Amino acid sequence: MYKLLFIGGLGMSEILLIALVVLLFFGGKKIPELMKGLGKGVRAFKEGVNEIEKDIKETASEESK
């Protein structure tokens, strides 16, 4: 069986079992809403990180003057 590197020792059968449990727990209609919310959260996090990096670069360029 193939093992995904980012998940460690989980094989394909374990991943399918987890996906089935999630599907049963949340239902088919809720999963797209959950993924949409997760995507928005990741996007907001990346924007925050980019703003912090921008502030650090601006501060460094002002101090070097």
Side-chain angles (χ1 to χ4, degrees):
M1 297 219 94
Y2 294 112
K3 290 189 179 184
L4 300 175
L5 294 176
F6 62 91
I7 299 182
L10 292 180
M12 192 55 98
S13 59
E14 289 89 0
I15 294 172
L16 290 175
L17 180 64
I18 291 169
L20 179 65
V21 169
V22 169
L23 182 63
L24 290 173
F25 187 69
F26 291 110
K29 294 181 181 178
K30 278 288 195 187
I31 291 176
E33 294 174 20
L34 291 171
M35 293 299 112
K36 185 177 179 180
L38 181 64
K40 286 182 179 180
V42 169
R43 188 177 314 121
F45 178 77
K46 285 183 180 181
E47 289 173 0
V49 169
N50 289 337
E51 288 179 23
I52 291 172
E53 288 177 352
K54 181 181 171 186
D55 290 343
I56 291 171
K57 288 178 184 178
E58 287 176 358
T59 304
S61 66
E62 289 175 3
E63 289 179 356
S64 65
K65 288 183 181 180

